[in-house]
Amino acid sequence: MAPMRFPVVLFDLDGTVIDSGAIILASMRHAATTVLGREFPEERLMAAVGGPGLEAQMEALDPERVDELVRVYREHNEPLHDTLSCCLGMEDVLVRLKEEGRRLGIVTAKRRSTVELAFARLPIGHFFETVVGGDETERHKPDPQPLQLALERLGAPAEDAVYVGDSPFDIRAAKAGGLHAVAVTWGRIHRRERLEREEPDAVVDTAEELLAAL
């Protein structure tokens, strides 16, 4: 029996495993209009999603009102987790990978407490041996430190691992950390062209294509 290509598969969460792009956009719009009294183009609101974290996203809108923007965003966003669903086909992907004996983890910009909101709605938390939240490391994607923490917890080398994500920050973090990088397009947060510019090892459009890449 041939050895599996990637014994360790790490996933981003938003837009990769859970279909959360719509609630992120809604809460970004709500925070911007409530706090700043302004409307921003969707592309600007979502440009930093999946990267260094919510504070950095809000700093890009108004560096003087970051704390207020974050508070209003979270008040709006957290109840919306009750409406979440998994991205199409991802539950089947997780089942299949576990059956194959892969070790799975989540590395996300979300705080751990917000990850637990998602897992309370979607019973997928048991698939993952480790979860690294955005509040657990000093540095954040595109820095590889969160991925390195996940690998440290799993006792696994980077060359055995792949990181699957939907943002350019995910691809950069994977490459900087020596992991294989797979970009998914179904998150609808970042355009395919933006992902392709980062030169991931693979770009996939469906869950079936993702399994083939792993």
Side-chain angles (χ1 to χ4, degrees), residues 132-141 145-147 149-150 153:
V132 175
D135 52 351
E136 295 186 74
T137 57
E138 181 179 340
R139 299 189 300 278
H140 309 286
K141 297 182 290 184
Q145 187 180 50
L147 293 172
L149 177 58
R153 289 175 174 174

Side-chain angles (χ1 to χ4, degrees), residues 171-182:
I171 301 164
R172 289 179 209 159
K175 292 171 76 171
L179 289 78
H180 197 82
V182 174

Side-chain angles (χ1 to χ4, degrees), residues 32-114:
T33 55
T34 301
V35 177
L36 305 177
R38 291 182 57 191
E39 294 201 4
F40 292 84
E42 178 178 333
E43 192 164 343
R44 182 169 175 192
L45 289 173
M46 302 297 272
V49 171
L54 188 56
E55 287 78 5
Q57 294 167 38
M58 296 310 185
E59 187 171 2
L61 300 184
D62 189 330
E64 302 298 321
R65 305 187 73 177
V66 171
D67 290 346
E68 191 177 0
L69 284 164
V70 167
R71 177 181 58 78
V72 172
Y73 174 94
R74 286 180 173 149
E75 287 174 354
H76 186 268
N77 184 259
E78 291 180 0
L80 295 180
H81 281 68
D82 288 341
T83 69
L84 281 178
S85 60
C86 279
C87 295
L88 184 64
M90 281 305 296
E91 286 181 270
D92 292 338
V93 167
L94 297 175
V95 169
R96 173 80 171 274
L97 293 176
K98 288 297 281 188
E99 287 176 348
E100 292 175 354
R102 317 282 190 118
R103 304 181 69 194
L104 310 183
I106 289 285
V107 179
T108 176
K110 275 187 184 298
R111 296 182 302 170
R112 277 301 302 268
S113 60
T114 316

Side-chain angles (χ1 to χ4, degrees), residues 5 165 171 180-184 192 195 199-204 209 213:
R5 188 177 182 196
I171 301 164
H180 197 82
V182 174
V184 305
R192 183 188 182 98
L195 299 175
E199 300 183 348
D201 296 290
V203 180
V204 299
E209 290 181 6

